[in-house]
Amino acid sequence: MRKFLSLAVIAGALVISACNTVEGVGRDVSSAGDAVAGAAKDSK
């Protein structure tokens, strides 16, 4: 039981940190997309 609880805590910590990481990557990709769209609009 103690081993299971330890694994559950570790898994929970990984899930929480993964959400923050994915959110950061999403913002980076969004800003890169905006930059590409702006460059394409300027080249018209």
Side-chain angles (χ1 to χ4, degrees):
M1 182 69 180
R2 187 173 182 178
K3 192 174 190 176
F4 174 75
L5 184 59
S6 297
L7 288 174
V9 168
I10 292 170
L14 288 174
V15 167
I16 290 171
S17 67
C19 288
N20 289 334
T21 303
V22 170
E23 182 181 352
V25 169
R27 280 184 271 160
D28 291 343
V29 169
S30 177
S31 65
D34 291 342
V36 170
K41 189 175 182 180
D42 291 342
S43 69
K44 280 187 176 181

